[in-house]
DNA sequence: GCCGTTTTCGGCCCGACTGTTTTCAGTCG
């Protein structure tokens, strides 16, 4: 069982304990441990064996015992006992808006409700309104919540969230009563997937502003509407929270509503340690003296910290960096000089070589790396060796026509076959400027076989970079089982780069492994995997992920000038 | 259950909104 699966079980255990009515701090300890475990990149088995797991914050002796059991056998005595006592259908009830552990416990104790189906039946039969502490409105809310769960997914991709929030943000910023406004929450932190949309404004007329927002056409349901906070459901099913504060409060509120939750807790604890109290409204000392902060940077400064960019605010080491004055200068989209891993109509792309190159030039880029599919990817129009040579000739011609002002790099997205060999012989691979090696088949191999397959592939001297290393599709498909830690080590050893596949559907590498790879000296390439000219814009999502991983421009291949990029592309084959 | 730059015991972030209550508990972020 891997770290992520174990983290999910610890989360479930924490929730079941809440429903049982345990000490809330003990319950939270399980959630904290789960959260820590999710950012672990090292080999879990090793950490269990040598006891280093307890060095991770939030994991003590007791948690380690449970994690060790789960890691080796996939089971844990206490979890099994909990599942017997409390049906796991109760966990699904936590997803119903308005229901928490306390209410779920009451529902189970009074009506023996232990599943979503039980709940719907009881609410439909009007049994819930009579329970002490509940009522008609709560019952209606539960039914609405159940309908919502039926129709909407729980999280959305970043580009979906952006599409929904952009017109609202525009309306907010143009509202006459608004002084400052900003996107907050996980979208501002550029998290891989988004739960809801958060918008903050400063204004002197909060009630009027919130009333205007509540009346907007895309609002289909008001979830909560107070003097400073409005929570609505939009017609696409997404929840949007809008908060209004005074302009003096704005930086504090911006910091607070950007999160993450763990980052906020660390911030408040830091304030307490300095005899201060931090909230979304200000920073005060015990005697009530307020510290004036004009922007977020002032808040960090007041707590003895350098500014921490939103993408790093996950409490995964950013405080130590900030204290040490070592927050890196994070990569920005303007740093990109071009990009690799793009498809054309030679395989399954929509646009021609010329159109793709022109789109890249329009973005101010100096080069574009084309990598259509290799022959094994027949479903995607993979290129035969003859076609490859034909494309090379075409690219040579185009490059000549650009007169040195722009360059197309000849590449291929070469399938890694089941045995770890590549889809073309080395003599053909040698003719490309770069080779992206990816898995598109054989997802069913077991953990060890998949790991050796990938390691064998990156050991090929012509493989420049590894493409979408886990094959995951966000919210749709988990990655294949693989020891990424070992694969990253193999890349570091062989001088193979790894791509951040910047497609918002993939974002593969994930953040913790991207950080790990960079720390081990692996060069990262931010690749849009574009299948059309507009797909080139997806580099933006890759930049977001790179920033979350703490990468600066010099750790990313496609920020260098054309000459340096060529050198880097050749460095692996030149050294072997 | 975890943790220690005042603590190995006694804390553990904190405020808005809602619905059900007669002053507050639960949920949410």
């Amino acid at each position: 069982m891997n770290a992520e699966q174990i983290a999910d079980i610890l989360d479930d255990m924490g929730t079941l304990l809440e429903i049982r009515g345990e000490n809330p701090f003990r319950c939270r300890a399980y959630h904290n441990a789960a959260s820590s475990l999710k950012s672990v990149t090292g080999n879990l088995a090793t950490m269990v064996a040598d006891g280093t797991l307890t060095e991770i914050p939030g994991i003590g002796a007791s948690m380690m015992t449970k994690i060790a059991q789960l890691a080796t056998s996939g089971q844990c005595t206490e979890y099994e006992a909990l599942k017997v006592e409390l049906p796991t259908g109760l966990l699904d009830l936590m997803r119903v808006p308005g229901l928490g552990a306390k209410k779920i416990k009451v529902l189970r104790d009074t009506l023996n409700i232990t599943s979503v189906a039980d709940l719907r039946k009881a609410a439909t039969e009007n049994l819930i309104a009579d329970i002490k502490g509940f009522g008609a409105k709560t019952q209606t809310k539960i039914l609405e919540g159940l309908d919502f769960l039926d129709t909407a997914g729980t999280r959305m991709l970043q580009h979906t969230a952006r599409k929904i929030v952009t017109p609202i943000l525009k309306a907010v910023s143009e509202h006459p009563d608004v002084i400052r406004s900003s996107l907050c929450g996980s979208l501002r932190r550029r998290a891989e997937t988004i739960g809801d949309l958060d918008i903050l404004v400063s204004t002197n007329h909060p009630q009027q502003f919130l009333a205007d927002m509540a009346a907007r056409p895309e609002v289909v349901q008001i979830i909560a509407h107070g003097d400073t906070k409005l929570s609505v459901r939009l017609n696409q099913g997404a929840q949007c929270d809008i908060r209004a504060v005074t302009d003096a409060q704005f930086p504090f509120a911006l910091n607070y509503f950007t999160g993450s939750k763990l980052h906020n807790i660390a911030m408040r604890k830091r304030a307490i340690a300095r005899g201060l109290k931090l909230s979304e409204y200000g920073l005060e000392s015990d005697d009530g003296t307020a510290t004036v902060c004009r922007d977020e940077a002032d808040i960090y400064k007041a707590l003895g910290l350098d500014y921490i960019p939103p993408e790093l605010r996950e409490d995964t080491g950013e405080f130590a960096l900030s204290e040490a004055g070592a927050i890196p200068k994070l990569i920005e989209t303007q740093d990109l000089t071009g990009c690799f891993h793009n498809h054309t109509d030679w395989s399954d792309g929509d646009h021609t070589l010329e159109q793709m190159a022109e789109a890249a030039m329009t973005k101010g880029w100096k080069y574009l790396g084309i990598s259509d599919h290799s022959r094994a990817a027949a479903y995607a129009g993979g290129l035969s060796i003859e076609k490859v040579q034909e494309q090379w000739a075409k690219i040579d011609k185009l490059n000549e026509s650009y007169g040195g002002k722009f360059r197309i790099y000849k590449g291929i997205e070469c399938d890694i076959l089941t045995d770890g060999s590549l889809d073309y012989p080395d003599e053909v691979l040698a003719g490309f400027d770069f080779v992206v090696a990816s898995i598109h088949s054989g997802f069913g191999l077991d953990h060890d076989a998949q790991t050796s397959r990938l390691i064998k592939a990156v050991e090929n001297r012509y493989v420049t970079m590894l493409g979408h290393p886990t094959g995951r599709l966000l919210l749709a498909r988990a990655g294949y089982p693989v020891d990424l830690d070992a694969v990253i080590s193999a890349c570091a050893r062989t001088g193979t780069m790894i791509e951040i596949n910047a497609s918002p559907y993939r974002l593969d590498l994930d953040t913790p492994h991207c950080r790990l790879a960079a720390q081990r000296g692996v060069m990262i390439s931010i690749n849009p995997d574009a299948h059309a000219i507009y797909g080139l814009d997806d580099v933006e999502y890759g930049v977001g992920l790179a920033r979350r991983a703490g990468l600066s421009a010099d750790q990313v291949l496609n920020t260098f000038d054309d000459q340096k990029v060529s050198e880097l592309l050749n460095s692996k084959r030149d050294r072997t």
Side-chain angles (χ1 to χ4, degrees), chain A residues 126-195:
Chain A
N126 200 25
L127 296 173
I128 289 176
D130 294 336
I131 305 174
K132 185 168 157 51
F134 287 63
K137 281 199 174 177
T138 305
Q139 181 170 275
T140 308
K141 244 190 157 165
I142 286 173
L143 280 170
E144 284 173 1
L146 287 168
D147 286 343
F148 168 70
L149 282 185
D150 279 350
T151 54
T154 46
R155 294 187 74 79
M156 56 196 143
L157 298 174
Q158 261 187 84
H159 75 301
T160 313
R162 261 184 211 288
K163 217 183 302 174
I164 297 171
V165 84
T166 301
I168 301 173
L169 269 180
K170 184 167 182 288
V172 163
S173 64
E174 289 169 357
H175 191 285
D177 290 340
V178 167
I179 305 165
R180 282 191 269 183
S181 65
S182 175
L183 186 63
C184 300
S186 53
L187 196 51
R188 182 168 183 235
R189 300 199 312 278
R190 307 220 244 182
E192 290 164 0
T193 61
I194 307 299

Side-chain angles (χ1 to χ4, degrees), chain A residues 413-471:
Chain A
E413 182 178 18
C414 186
D415 266 44
I416 300 172
L417 305 180
T418 314
D419 65 355
S421 62
L422 278 290
D423 193 19
Y424 296 117
D426 280 1
E427 334 47 294
V428 175
L429 294 178
F432 291 105
D433 296 323
F434 72 100
V435 173
V436 181
S438 308
I439 284 181
H440 291 110
S441 61
F443 286 25
L445 290 191
D446 69 26
H447 177 270
D448 290 353
Q450 206 67 278
T451 305
S452 351
R453 176 189 188 186
L454 279 167
I455 290 175
K456 184 176 171 196
V458 302
E459 280 172 346
N460 182 303
R461 66 180 296 198
Y462 296 108
V463 169
T464 322
M465 57 181 88
L466 184 59
H468 44 72
T470 74

Side-chain angles (χ1 to χ4, degrees), chain A residues 352-422:
Chain A
T352 63
L353 277 167
E354 294 92 323
Q355 288 172 318
M356 292 295 283
E358 202 169 303
M361 283 182 239
T362 308
K363 293 172 89 66
W365 288 348
K366 300 298 174 205
Y367 57 87
L368 185 69
I370 293 296
S371 53
D372 276 305
H373 285 283
S374 65
R375 56 188 178 179
Y379 62 91
L383 306 184
S384 64
I385 293 176
E386 294 70 32
K387 272 283 179 191
V388 163
Q389 287 163 341
E390 212 179 299
Q391 193 185 48
W392 287 347
K394 173 79 181 174
I395 291 174
D396 282 339
K397 243 181 160 171
L398 282 171
N399 277 340
E400 212 170 297
S401 74
Y402 299 142
K405 291 201 172 74
F406 185 85
R407 173 171 177 185
I408 298 176
Y409 281 101
K410 292 176 226 163
I412 193 80
E413 182 178 18
C414 186
D415 266 44
I416 300 172
L417 305 180
T418 314
D419 65 355
S421 62
L422 278 290

Side-chain angles (χ1 to χ4, degrees), chain A residues 317-359:
Chain A
E318 71 271 24
F319 288 102
L321 285 176
S322 176
E323 267 178 0
I327 294 282
K329 182 180 182 324
L330 298 180
I331 180 174
E332 294 175 28
T333 306
Q334 303 90 279
D335 293 328
L336 299 183
T337 50
C339 72
F340 295 89
H341 193 167
N342 300 292
H343 298 267
T344 70
D345 60 0
W346 284 66
S347 64
D348 61 349
D350 292 344
H351 293 111
T352 63
L353 277 167
E354 294 92 323
Q355 288 172 318
M356 292 295 283
E358 202 169 303

